[in-house]
Amino acid sequence: MVCGYTISTELSQEEKMLAEAAREASRDAVNRAFAAGLSITIAKDGKLVEISPDGTETIIGDL
């Protein structure tokens, strides 16, 4: 029998900084795409969703 367990670790300061830089870069990329009139594609609730600059969401497939 296999028992479930959770390992909890604290992120180092460097890992926290890297995660924040990744969040900012992602946010900037999305904003730049929308400013250029481009749509983005994301995974949402098990679906591939296209989001237009006006906020319209279109399901384009399953994951």
Side-chain angles (χ1 to χ4, degrees), residues 19-56:
E20 180 59 28
R23 273 191 295 276
E24 288 179 21
S26 296
R27 189 172 31 249
D28 289 346
V30 168
N31 289 336
R32 290 177 69 175
F34 287 159
L38 302 172
S39 297
I40 63 166
T41 303
I42 64 166
K44 182 178 181 181
D45 299 326
K47 306 283 184 191
L48 285 176
V49 179
E50 181 180 74
I51 304 176
S52 299
D54 68 1
T56 305

